[in-house]
Amino acid sequence: MKGLVLTYQGKREEGMELVKKGVLLDLQSHICWHVHGLVHKQDKNYEEALKCYAQALKYDPGNMNILRDTATLQSQLRRFDHLEQTRLTILKLRPSLKQNWVALSVAYGLNNDWAAAQKLLEEFLSMVKEVPPFDPEFSELLLFYLTVLERNGNYEKALKQLEEYTEANKVVDRMHAATFQPRLLQKLGRTEEANEKYKTLIARNPDCYDFYRAYFGHNGLSLDDASPESINTLTSELEVFANQFPHALVPRRLPLTITSGELFQTLVKQYILRGLKKNIPSLFADLKPLYGDDTKRSVIQSIVEQYRDELEAESGTKDEDDSPTTYVWTLYFLGLHYSAQGEYQRAHDILNKAIEHTPTLPELYTAKARNLKRAGDHVGAAAALDVAAELDGQDRFLNTKCATYHLRMGDVEGAQKFLGMFTKKDALSPAKDLEDMQSFKFLLEDGEARMRENMLPMALKRFRTIDKIFLDFNDEQFDFHGFCIRRFTLNIYFDVVKWANDLRWHSIYIRAILNATKIYLRLFDTPGLAAEQTAPVPEPEGEKKSKKQMKRDKVKAAEEARKAAEKEKDEDAVVVKDDDPDGHKAISVEDPLEQAAKLLQTFTSEDHQVFDIWIATYDVAIRRKKYLQSLRALAKAKHLRPSSPEVHQRLIDFQLQVSSLDKESESMESILVKEGLSRLAPGEQSLVVQNSQYLQNNSTNAPAIVSVARASHKIGVSISEVEDVAFSLLRDDVDLKYQVGVDALQLLEEINSTRVTEFRDGCQKRLPLSTAFLSKDELAKLKQKAAPQDPDASEETAANGDLVIEPTDTTPNP
């Protein structure tokens, strides 16, 4: 017991030693084993904790506390077959508690034994006495019982019970019941009744896509893959709904997905003109899913351009619905339209024209910033967002966007100033407060910004923080295993379990893991990089600080002293000390490859469909000389994207790596590698021929050209040949994006090419809006020119508490 107390006081090692001594002194004591399990559970070592609980139950099989803890751990570790037995034991020991009945039925459900769950719930409900109406806990139990009936195919009984419970006011969640009933009617084949119920739901919320999909799906009609025969039926039905609900958008929007030709042109014209006249900012976002069809995209473009021409000429038919702002919203739509198609210069000109027409509309500046970001001008994009933020300084969305664009520009401190407007004033820094609030947006963007600026320690710390937050999410479900059963929120509990199972496949988590893996690979490929990144930066000798710098340092020191004093006064405040404020510990690892392998381990154990994860798995495995693992990752990636430039480059690399193996070797690994490689690459062709054929098949694909150039360098061809391949990006028939151009520029710098400046100038000519190809000095001057105001003046103004924002034109000239 002393060891348990010490572990909760933070003295883990000392406490664990005492607990182990206690177990050794009495191996048959259930108390010692239980305490040992509690210590492991506190460390989130659930596997070992469950083993200790199993030992404790050997010597005291009827201990309720140990049984409950064991059931919770089995739920956390998804040991549902053992969970059934544990919950059954608890129910036999305490059959008078209703929670034990419910917990066992949930265990049956988690283990997909719905028949046993139904039998148990029916037995329990038969023993329940009168329950007052509108009891929320009993209502949730009844809804779970109805779900179990549906899972077992007892639709008639489920429908009868639902109607009975609803009439008796036993179901509190009426919306759940309203969506449940038509689904049961549909499965019973009672079409007319189900249709009426679905129409009632649509009338309740005519802008809910799910209700329309359920209604038409019930009648055998699909909105996602409509057959030519069903289009007329769908459009006529949706027209009825549109007339019945004149203010609803969904019944007017859905026909645009399924129709084509003249009918589509008529419907989309009505929809677009209605949206433009009503000045709906989200109109383009609403129609963008249609852009997958080139014909529909061109029809939309012609309609909006024609309407713009009519407004400019003032000769078109204009009714009373036209407002003075219709013209500017039409330009706004066209700007977004051309930007989405990659016509950045055209979009830039249109948005500038709209800004000249209405210079006080923040949406125009955000659209301009988005277009400049896509074109590669992050400096101009941040400047445009600065103007938008000045127009509405209290808008959190605009300030958050502005901070994001400053991060992408590389202005980390400037971004934190914007974020500091809405964080706690007594926090150590806006970044610390956002980290405490688990702001993924900030952590991810800040980490990627520092990664681009080669500030790897803090970048890696940000990505590892995201990893830790997701691990905390997974651990925090531990309390819900007992809470949801106590509160009878059973259907939601099943949603929580499913959510937790899919947690690591979240796009933010995958993005953070991939970035952290890239940093670890750089640490491995460049020995001494960690020491270089963590070395202190010496100040130049003889350099004196300016008066402004001295004043800023003085104000900053005073502010930190004030915050520290406030923390000391608050005795109840629990301050968690950051033992790695600069990220030096995170990056100073002796085995970066092993760290990367641990991050990817949770993914490699499953047959998933995430292409980028398989590519990262290959990059780590090939450096670890794990050829079979590399082969598996490469085969999975090639199966997902057979013609991917990433796959081609690594396929060439893999053949080079395995060529060093002993050809006469008869080891199992060597045999499997040879067989697997024969299925991925034509063995009779040389690497140069494979590379040349890939380039011929993808001569206008910019990423493929860069991949061929990198593969050529690996093969060992001359620098002039690599340069010729890279310079083919500048041809007019190649759709060059600035990211690909930057990648090619980095390759030329890596091979010490003498044509770097020539390639940089060529990219700048092809992409005139981009600032990615400017030199460091030119980019620094551009950032200084685009700065909205003097930071010293802003600090002094903020200190005086009298902030006056005057919008100024800081739009950069491309």
Side-chain angles (χ1 to χ4, degrees):
M1 295 306 296
K2 181 180 179 181
L4 181 63
V5 172
L6 289 175
T7 55
Y8 277 93
Q9 289 180 343
K11 303 175 182 179
R12 184 193 175 282
E13 295 182 359
E14 183 181 354
M16 179 61 80
E17 287 297 325
L18 289 174
V19 171
K20 289 180 178 179
K21 288 181 181 179
V23 173
L24 292 175
L25 289 173
D26 190 355
L27 291 174
Q28 296 184 355
S29 171
H30 70 278
I31 297 177
C32 293
W33 283 110
H34 190 194
V35 171
H36 199 186
L38 291 175
V39 174
H40 281 300
K41 187 182 75 171
Q42 183 187 2
D43 295 336
K44 296 181 174 54
N45 189 358
Y46 300 128
E47 291 282 355
E48 293 298 323
L50 188 58
K51 292 178 182 178
C52 293
Y53 289 162
Q55 290 293 329
L57 289 175
K58 286 183 179 180
Y59 306 113
D60 190 2
N63 191 303
M64 290 299 297
N65 291 328
I66 302 177
L67 285 170
R68 279 194 292 264
D69 288 345
T70 302
T72 304
L73 281 176
Q74 289 168 341
S75 300
Q76 179 75 8
L77 296 174
R78 306 298 190 263
R79 308 284 176 79
F80 297 137
D81 49 348
H82 298 99
L83 178 64
E84 282 189 14
Q85 299 301 321
T86 304
R87 290 297 186 186
L88 180 59
T89 302
I90 294 175
L91 178 60
K92 290 179 178 179
L93 292 174
R94 297 283 179 84
S96 58
L97 293 178
K98 61 180 181 181
Q99 293 178 2
N100 296 338
W101 291 82
V102 175
L104 180 56
S105 65
V106 169
Y108 285 139
L110 290 172
N111 204 30
N112 290 321
D113 191 356
W114 297 103
Q118 177 183 341
K119 182 178 179 181
L120 184 71
L121 285 172
E122 288 175 347
E123 183 178 353
F124 170 70
L125 292 174
S126 65
M127 297 184 296
V128 175
K129 298 180 180 179
E130 285 295 325
V131 179
F134 301 110
D135 182 87
E137 292 186 358
F138 192 67
S139 171
E140 289 294 324
L141 176 61
L142 294 178
L143 289 174
F144 176 65
Y145 171 57
L146 296 174
T147 302
V148 172
L149 290 175
E150 184 185 16
R151 290 292 187 101
N152 287 324
N154 297 328
Y155 307 129
E156 187 71 44
K157 185 175 183 179
L159 180 62
K160 180 180 178 181
Q161 294 292 344
L162 176 61
E163 293 173 349
E164 178 183 335
Y165 296 152
T166 305
E167 292 176 1
N169 293 327
K170 293 182 179 180
V171 175
V172 177
D173 191 350
R174 293 303 177 93
M175 192 62 195
H176 192 154
T179 56
F180 208 145
Q181 189 174 14
R183 188 168 71 243
L184 294 174
L185 289 170
Q186 171 189 350
K187 292 179 178 180
L188 288 170
R190 295 160 64 172
T191 307
E192 294 299 328
E193 297 179 61
N195 283 343
E196 291 302 320
K197 296 297 181 181
Y198 278 123
K199 289 180 179 179
T200 303
L201 287 173
I202 292 174
R204 186 170 184 172
N205 185 2
D207 276 319
C208 180
Y209 280 92
D210 293 337
F211 292 161
Y212 290 96
R213 295 185 187 280
Y215 171 73
F216 289 116
H218 160 66
N219 290 281
L221 302 172
S222 174
L223 290 169
D224 299 318
D225 188 18
S227 61
E229 298 79 14
S230 63
I231 291 178
N232 292 333
T233 305
L234 287 168
T235 52
S236 60
E237 288 266 11
L238 289 169
E239 185 178 0
V240 173
F241 285 124
N243 294 330
Q244 184 179 357
F245 311 110
H247 297 291
L249 291 178
V250 173
R252 292 174 172 80
R253 171 61 181 84
L254 286 174
L256 305 182
T257 304
I258 60 177
T259 56
S260 59
E262 294 182 1
L263 179 58
F264 170 78
Q265 187 171 357
T266 302
L267 294 175
V268 77
K269 184 174 183 180
Q270 296 174 356
Y271 192 83
I272 290 174
L273 296 184
R274 183 176 184 268
L276 292 176
K277 291 177 181 180
K278 288 182 174 294
N279 303 159
I280 300 177
S282 60
L283 179 62
F284 175 77
D286 187 14
L287 295 175
K288 190 177 179 181
L290 301 175
Y291 278 41
D293 188 329
D294 294 337
T295 304
K296 291 185 177 182
R297 183 174 66 246
S298 60
V299 168
I300 293 173
Q301 177 178 325
S302 62
I303 290 173
V304 181
E305 285 182 340
Q306 181 181 358
Y307 187 57
R308 177 200 56 187
D309 296 339
E310 291 178 1
L311 292 174
E312 288 179 344
E314 296 184 354
S315 60
T317 303
K318 298 177 67 177
D319 53 37
E320 60 183 5
D321 291 335
D322 289 330
S323 65
T325 58
T326 301
Y327 176 65
V328 73
W329 286 110
T330 303
L331 294 179
Y332 174 76
F333 185 98
L334 282 174
L336 295 175
H337 167 82
Y338 288 122
S339 179
Q341 294 190 104
E343 300 182 43
Y344 305 126
Q345 186 63 58
R346 194 173 183 181
H348 185 70
D349 296 338
I350 289 176
L351 291 170
N352 278 339
K353 188 176 182 179
I355 290 172
E356 291 177 5
H357 182 279
T358 309
T360 57
L361 188 62
E363 284 83 354
L364 297 177
Y365 295 97
T366 58
K368 180 179 179 179
R370 187 181 300 113
N371 180 63
L372 290 173
K373 176 201 70 173
R374 291 171 175 170
D377 183 8
H378 292 287
V379 178
L385 254 300
D386 287 340
V387 179
E390 288 176 358
L391 292 173
D392 191 354
Q394 302 301 315
D395 192 316
R396 293 192 177 214
F397 169 77
L398 288 178
N399 282 281
T400 302
K401 270 289 184 184
C402 199
T404 302
Y405 276 55
H406 273 268
L407 286 172
R408 291 172 181 170
M409 185 181 67
D411 183 14
V412 177
E413 293 187 2
Q416 291 196 25
K417 289 180 180 178
F418 281 99
L419 296 170
M421 297 172 62
F422 303 105
T423 55
K424 293 180 180 180
K425 302 305 178 185
D426 59 344
L428 296 177
S429 66
K432 182 60 179 174
D433 188 40
L434 290 168
E435 181 180 339
D436 293 340
M437 291 191 296
Q438 300 179 340
S439 173
F440 289 131
K441 179 71 173 177
F442 167 75
L443 292 172
L444 194 58
E445 292 288 351
D446 186 70
E448 291 179 344
R450 294 177 186 273
M451 190 175 174
R452 288 189 294 268
E453 296 297 321
N454 201 33
M455 303 163 62
L456 300 184
M458 282 302 298
L460 183 58
K461 181 185 177 182
R462 296 289 189 236
F463 300 139
R464 294 308 303 248
T465 300
I466 293 176
D467 178 41
K468 181 179 180 301
I469 291 173
F470 272 88
L471 290 177
D472 291 341
F473 285 170
N474 185 67
D475 292 334
E476 284 168 0
Q477 66 167 314
F478 187 90
D479 297 329
F480 282 87
H481 297 303
F483 172 80
C484 291
I485 292 176
R486 289 196 306 271
R487 304 301 299 174
F488 282 49
T489 54
L490 307 179
N491 288 302
I492 296 177
Y493 173 66
F494 277 82
D495 294 338
V496 170
V497 172
K498 183 179 182 302
W499 170 83
N501 291 339
D502 299 335
L503 189 59
R504 61 182 171 179
W505 303 108
H506 196 284
S507 59
I508 291 178
Y509 182 67
I510 291 177
R511 193 167 152 191
I513 293 300
L514 290 174
N515 285 326
T517 302
K518 291 177 182 177
I519 293 178
Y520 283 128
L521 292 178
R522 285 185 61 182
L523 293 175
F524 177 80
D525 294 339
T526 312
L529 179 60
E532 177 186 337
Q533 290 281 329
T534 56
V537 180
E539 295 184 2
E541 295 183 3
E543 180 178 325
K544 295 183 178 180
K545 294 183 178 180
S546 63
K547 292 183 178 180
K548 290 183 177 180
Q549 182 64 35
M550 293 175 64
K551 183 178 180 180
R552 281 199 296 266
D553 293 344
K554 186 177 180 180
V555 172
K556 185 177 180 180
E559 182 67 16
E560 291 179 353
R562 182 185 64 80
K563 292 179 180 179
E566 291 180 356
K567 290 288 185 182
E568 291 179 0
K569 290 180 181 179
D570 189 2
E571 297 179 356
D572 296 331
V574 179
V575 181
V576 179
K577 185 179 179 180
D578 189 354
D579 60 348
D580 190 19
D582 299 322
H584 290 179
K585 289 184 178 180
I587 202 171
S588 300
V589 292
E590 297 180 357
D591 52 349
L593 274 187
E594 296 303 320
Q595 295 295 326
K598 288 179 181 178
L599 288 177
L600 297 171
Q601 187 176 4
T602 55
F603 300 102
T604 54
S605 60
E606 294 189 17
D607 187 16
H608 58 80
Q609 305 295 314
V610 185
F611 175 80
D612 292 332
I613 290 293
W614 286 120
I615 292 296
T617 302
Y618 169 84
D619 291 340
V620 174
I622 198 66
R623 288 169 171 81
R624 300 174 67 206
K625 306 299 181 182
K626 304 289 186 180
Y627 295 116
L628 287 178
Q629 189 178 7
S630 303
L631 180 64
R632 175 175 179 257
L634 192 58
K636 292 292 184 181
K638 188 175 178 62
H639 174 73
L640 294 173
R641 299 181 189 175
S643 302
S644 170
E646 300 284 342
V647 172
H648 169 73
Q649 180 181 336
R650 284 159 179 80
L651 186 57
I652 296 292
D653 176 70
F654 185 70
Q655 294 177 77
L656 287 171
Q657 295 282 350
V658 299
S659 63
S660 60
L661 295 177
D662 186 2
K663 295 183 179 180
E664 303 299 329
S665 174
E666 297 297 332
S667 66
M668 183 61 67
E669 181 185 27
S670 179
I671 295 173
L672 292 175
V673 167
K674 292 175 184 178
E675 291 181 356
L677 184 58
S678 64
R679 292 192 292 268
L680 294 178
E684 67 278 1
Q685 294 180 349
S686 66
L687 299 182
V688 175
V689 173
Q690 294 179 35
N691 206 29
S692 177
Q693 287 187 352
Y694 184 78
L695 180 60
Q696 292 177 4
N697 296 332
N698 301 274
S699 58
T700 59
N701 187 332
I705 293 174
V706 177
S707 175
V708 170
R710 288 192 175 276
S712 299
H713 178 58
K714 282 183 175 292
I715 294 172
V717 301
S718 63
I719 293 180
S720 61
E721 293 183 33
V722 177
E723 291 173 343
D724 292 339
V725 175
F727 270 81
S728 64
L729 288 168
L730 303 180
R731 298 199 315 263
D732 294 335
D733 60 338
V734 177
D735 184 16
L736 178 63
K737 303 295 183 183
Y738 83 92
Q739 299 95 331
V740 181
V742 170
D743 191 13
L745 182 62
Q746 291 175 351
L747 172 61
L748 293 176
E749 291 175 346
E750 290 172 6
I751 65 176
N752 298 320
S753 171
T754 58
R755 304 176 64 186
V756 171
T757 304
E758 180 185 353
F759 183 80
R760 190 191 300 271
D761 295 338
C763 289
Q764 192 65 60
K765 185 178 179 180
R766 282 289 311 275
L767 305 169
L769 286 179
S770 177
T771 60
F773 305 100
L774 298 177
S775 64
K776 291 184 178 180
D777 294 337
E778 292 173 333
L779 195 59
K781 291 180 181 179
L782 186 60
K783 289 181 180 180
Q784 185 177 4
K785 181 180 177 181
Q789 57 183 356
D790 186 7
D792 297 316
S794 64
E795 288 182 6
E796 293 175 3
T797 306
N800 294 330
D802 186 14
L803 180 63
V804 179
I805 298 177
E806 296 180 0
T808 56
D809 186 10
T810 58
T811 307
N813 294 321

